[in-house]
Amino acid sequence: MGQGGEPRRVQVYDGELGAAVARAQEGDESAFAIAYRLVQPGLLGYLRGLVGEDAEDVASDAWLEIARDLGRFRGDGAGFRGWTATIARHRALDHLRRLKVRPRSAALEQDMLDLPGPYSTHDQALESLSTEYALRLVRGLPRDQAEAVLLRVVVGLDGPAAARVLGKRPGAVRTAAYRGLKRLAHELGAERVTDGGPRTLGEST
């Protein structure tokens, strides 16, 4: 089992991502392009869940800030994913404020994160969330649940990292993620995805 129960596919590229970021910080533009290619799909999926069709624009703003502040980043590949998600979230919330769009749920800043269950849960959810249809379903969840699912499954953050992005305690965040994934699984007609979830709620903190 990986640290924090992370999906294996995420762990595989974190080493490559960390190395690319280190080279990019030394001025290697091709290495920055590698880091971008590794991070952008998950980041864009997360932003689509927050701002819908404006995700590309918000992602562009986020990457400008990421490039500008890259020299200040300290950490590994997993840390870089969390850092970029934090920047993207700030840009998304700024965007929503500019549009005077109220978050769908008053629970925007509520408890967050840490998906329960075995690897199959992550893999099945990731496959499902790759579709625009599933992202629309995620946007229909209460906001705290939506962000929990997006950060954990789409961006690939572990529980503590996702909690840091949201400024919440990892232990307080699990309920929202479990409820969000269970509801999403029901909507997708895959109730079995979350089987066993409650038994694993305390394992990754």
Side-chain angles (χ1 to χ4, degrees):
M1 180 100 173
Q3 183 179 14
E6 286 187 86
R8 282 167 290 190
R9 69 180 76 194
V10 168
Q11 293 178 2
V12 167
Y13 74 65
D14 269 349
E16 181 184 356
L17 176 58
V21 170
R23 294 197 310 273
Q25 288 180 313
E26 295 169 358
D28 185 336
E29 292 184 7
S30 64
F32 185 82
I34 291 171
Y36 174 87
R37 285 197 301 272
L38 290 171
V39 171
Q40 173 69 351
L43 207 62
L44 197 57
Y46 174 49
L47 289 171
R48 282 192 186 117
L50 294 180
V51 300
E53 295 178 358
D54 295 329
E56 294 273 2
D57 291 340
V58 174
S60 295
D61 289 343
W63 278 104
L64 286 173
E65 184 173 341
I66 291 163
R68 184 193 72 202
D69 295 343
L70 185 64
R72 293 164 44 193
F73 170 74
R74 296 290 179 271
D76 57 8
F80 187 73
R81 283 188 290 115
W83 183 67
T84 56
T86 299
I87 290 173
R89 183 173 191 263
H90 289 159
R91 296 287 68 77
L93 295 179
D94 286 346
H95 176 78
L96 291 174
R97 278 191 288 269
R98 282 196 301 272
L99 295 177
K100 297 184 179 177
V101 173
R102 277 280 165 207
R104 187 168 289 99
S105 165
L108 174 59
E109 300 299 337
Q110 253 182 18
D111 310 337
M112 290 281 104
L113 210 31
D114 206 334
L115 286 182
Y119 286 125
S120 60
T121 298
H122 301 295
D123 293 340
Q124 290 176 45
L126 191 60
E127 291 302 319
S128 298
L129 289 171
S130 67
T131 69
E132 289 297 325
Y133 169 69
L135 281 172
R136 285 198 300 273
L137 290 179
V138 170
R139 294 193 74 199
L141 294 173
R143 182 67 65 145
D144 62 330
Q145 295 177 18
E147 283 207 85
V149 172
L150 289 165
L151 282 173
R152 188 64 183 91
V153 180
V154 179
V155 181
L157 301 185
D158 64 14
R164 283 193 296 273
V165 170
L166 295 157
K168 298 295 175 183
R169 299 186 315 278
V173 141
R174 284 190 286 274
T175 300
Y178 172 66
R179 288 176 179 167
L181 184 62
K182 185 175 181 180
R183 183 167 165 182
L184 180 64
H186 178 74
E187 292 286 343
L188 291 170
E191 289 86 349
R192 298 180 67 87
V193 169
T194 55
D195 282 355
R199 289 184 285 104
T200 64
L201 285 179
E203 290 183 356
S204 61
T205 50

